[in-house]
Amino acid sequence: MTALLERAREAADRIEAVERRGLHAVLAFDRTVLLEQAANLDAARPDGALRGLVIGVKDNIATLEYPTTCGSRILEGYRSPYQATAIKRLKQAGALIACKTNLDEFAMGSSTEHSAFGRTRHPEQPDLVPGGSSGGSAALVAAGAVDAALGSETGGSVRQPAAFCGIVGIKPTYGRVSRYGLVAFGSSLDQIGVCGRDVQTAGRVLCAISGKDPNDATSADRPPLEFPEFPKDLTGFTIGVPQEYFPDDLDAGMRAGCERAIARMREAGATIKQVALPHTGLAIPTYYILAPAEASSNLARYDGVRYGPRHTPPDGDVQGMYRATRGVGFGPEVRRRIIVGTYVLSAGYYDAYYRKALRARWLIAQDFEAVFAGGVDLLFTPTTPTTAFRAGEKLEDPVAMYLADVFSCPANLAWVTAMSVPVGRAEGLPIGGQFIGPQLGEARMLQAASVLERLVDRSAEVR
């Protein structure tokens, strides 16, 4: 058996082992498919940058090997006739597509409890959530089953679970990575992102999937990102610390962990500068108007005619078929967001809600633009307001669940890049620190994150 086939066999063993233990991070996996990929790669012998890297894929990204269900009954068993550009580029780079990972239905959630096929558990403490909506991807990486995984970001759905699970999560600039083959939730917000064990692995995957794509009109007219050389220290970096991300009620462990990381960066030569992003408080209400509005439009296509199972009432009425199919096929969180989105787009409410949210989004984006224009290279904040919470704790309170994204959704609204890096532990649970960079600022962000990763022991408890 070749080294590549042995690597694939070991990965298959690990995936099966963590699933037997009840992680439930995987929705589709076939050992034979993974070993066949390895054999074909061995025969072709491509000199790819990701040769032999084993990667999980969030189940809202189209693949040929496995169904693409979006964690929803309305797409149960659906197989895409094409693969996403990001998947095609991973294969060209020599990566092995291992499995499809669990997610909140249609990527709507912050805990991976809204999957129609059952919740994913935290890789360390099963009674906790792994975050969401890319919780399956983050948990599988954190459990050591795969080297990296693709997720998707609409309001923090890669960074938040990465922080909860103690791994690296990257949200690229809107347009840096093609959305072709990513099932749409909020088209002006969605972006494929990466979960990785460390900065180097996640960064290499990001570089491989980046670049202009003629199949995606929103992809930036830029060549693929080149993997940057990692510096020895942070001399020449100016790191902004926005006061709005360190409120008085911030979890004490999160505050201590991030302040420790800031102190280490200062010791490594970075200039630390206090900055203000005055419209940060508008981010959550703005996001939860715009994202549901776009979801209402995007999910209208799931009507029982073109995709997935159809439910037809006895009288055969077309409207009844629509109601039955969508009522059975969509879970409660998806239905809630469709209703909210339809409401804010309706006559008489469009100006009162949707148009005002667009203006607020512009103000939030201007805040970031002004800070970066003022000499700040990157911002540093907590990724989340707390560590991972208990399963079921926020299910009956949607607003409390939505507030889990309070530090992550502004970057999506402003189209900038951001990433979460482990910076220690509080009461035994991982803490994530967040870098936010300007549009197309991934290289500089990866450099700073690589230094911080060396400076801070991710397993060290905050004292």
Side-chain angles (χ1 to χ4, degrees):
M1 182 177 288
T2 67
L4 190 60
L5 279 168
E6 179 65 17
R7 183 180 178 87
R9 185 188 66 78
E10 291 174 353
D13 289 344
R14 292 194 301 269
I15 292 169
E16 290 172 349
V18 299
E19 287 300 285
R20 280 196 301 271
R21 293 199 296 268
L23 187 65
H24 196 48
V26 175
L27 291 183
F29 170 68
D30 186 328
R31 170 184 286 265
T32 302
V33 170
L34 179 55
L35 295 178
E36 284 179 353
Q37 287 182 68
N40 292 337
L41 185 61
D42 239 356
R45 300 189 184 280
D47 186 22
L50 303 181
R51 180 175 172 81
L53 210 66
V54 180
I55 297 180
V57 177
K58 187 175 180 179
D59 200 25
N60 62 343
I61 300 172
T63 55
L64 296 174
E65 293 82 3
Y66 297 111
T68 300
T69 72
C70 294
S72 179
R73 294 291 180 193
I74 209 163
L75 281 176
E76 189 170 5
Y78 173 73
R79 283 187 174 267
S80 171
Y82 67 96
Q83 63 186 351
T85 296
I87 300 300
K88 179 180 178 181
R89 289 176 175 173
L90 286 177
K91 292 178 178 178
Q92 290 171 340
L96 303 174
I97 306 303
C99 57
K100 299 301 281 292
T101 63
N102 202 5
L103 69 157
D104 286 297
E105 185 178 5
F106 278 97
M108 297 182 193
S110 303
S111 63
T112 317
E113 294 175 281
H114 294 296
S115 171
F117 307 113
R119 77 175 183 91
T120 296
R121 291 162 177 80
H122 192 280
E124 297 179 21
Q125 297 191 30
D127 61 330
L128 303 181
V129 302
S133 62
S134 306
S137 292
L140 203 62
V141 172
V146 294
D147 299 307
L150 295 189
S152 69
E153 275 254 8
T154 307
S157 288
V158 167
R159 287 164 290 149
Q160 186 250 26
F164 278 8
C165 293
I167 61 169
V168 172
I170 304 176
K171 183 206 95 69
T173 304
Y174 184 82
R176 172 69 88 175
V177 174
S178 171
R179 292 189 299 114
Y180 182 73
L182 171 64
V183 178
F185 162 15
S187 299
S188 75
L189 298 154
D190 295 342
Q191 187 69 100
I192 292 175
V194 182
C195 294
R197 295 180 185 176
D198 51 46
V199 173
Q200 184 177 70
T201 302
R204 287 169 58 205
V205 173
L206 175 62
C207 291
I209 63 175
S210 66
K212 175 69 176 175
D213 178 18
N215 291 317
D216 176 10
T218 65
S219 68
D221 190 11
R222 294 288 191 279
L225 178 65
E226 292 187 8
F227 191 73
E229 182 178 346
F230 286 169
K232 295 180 180 179
D233 57 33
L234 294 175
T235 301
F237 281 80
T238 298
I239 308 294
V241 178
Q243 58 190 11
E244 292 82 4
Y245 286 70
F246 291 84
D248 293 339
D249 60 351
L250 179 65
D251 178 83
M254 296 297 301
R255 181 184 300 277
C258 289
E259 287 179 349
R260 181 174 66 181
I262 292 168
R264 296 289 187 274
M265 288 190 285
R266 181 182 285 111
E267 293 166 3
T271 299
I272 305 299
K273 181 179 180 180
Q274 297 295 319
V275 300
L277 298 169
H279 295 98
T280 298
L282 301 177
I284 286 290
T286 298
Y287 176 83
Y288 281 101
I289 290 173
L290 296 181
E294 295 186 15
S296 172
S297 176
N298 279 323
L299 270 62
R301 70 194 69 178
Y302 303 105
D303 53 13
V305 176
R306 290 162 287 187
Y307 302 96
R310 177 184 301 179
H311 297 272
T312 305
D315 60 11
D317 175 70
V318 173
Q319 292 297 326
M321 181 196 72
Y322 289 164
R323 286 193 296 271
T325 298
R326 292 166 69 82
V328 172
F330 288 139
E333 181 61 25
V334 174
R335 292 199 299 269
R336 179 186 292 119
R337 298 201 193 193
I338 290 173
I339 290 168
V340 170
T342 303
Y343 177 80
V344 301
L345 290 175
S346 62
Y349 298 101
Y350 181 94
D351 287 338
Y353 294 103
Y354 186 73
R355 192 182 298 277
K356 284 184 179 178
L358 289 176
R359 292 171 181 164
R361 182 180 193 175
W362 182 83
L363 293 173
I364 292 165
Q366 288 296 108
D367 283 352
F368 283 103
E369 193 172 309
V371 167
F372 293 129
V376 169
D377 296 299
L378 301 164
L379 300 171
F380 184 80
T381 78
T383 308
T384 58
T386 66
T387 53
F389 50 86
R390 292 193 177 279
E393 182 179 319
K394 301 180 188 293
L395 276 179
E396 301 305 317
D397 187 351
V399 173
M401 184 76 80
Y402 298 163
L403 288 172
D405 298 329
V406 65
F407 297 152
S408 55
C409 72
N412 298 82
L413 291 168
W415 302 284
V416 297
T417 187
M419 69 184 292
S420 182
V421 183
V423 293
R425 287 175 172 264
E427 298 183 357
L429 293 174
I431 301 169
Q434 177 178 225
F435 284 106
I436 304 175
Q439 293 179 17
L440 303 175
E442 285 83 359
R444 192 80 163 154
M445 185 176 69
L446 287 170
Q447 289 178 322
S450 72
V451 175
L452 181 60
E453 186 177 55
R454 296 197 304 268
L455 295 173
V456 178
D457 181 357
R458 68 175 69 189
S459 63
E461 189 78 11
V462 174
R463 300 297 181 188

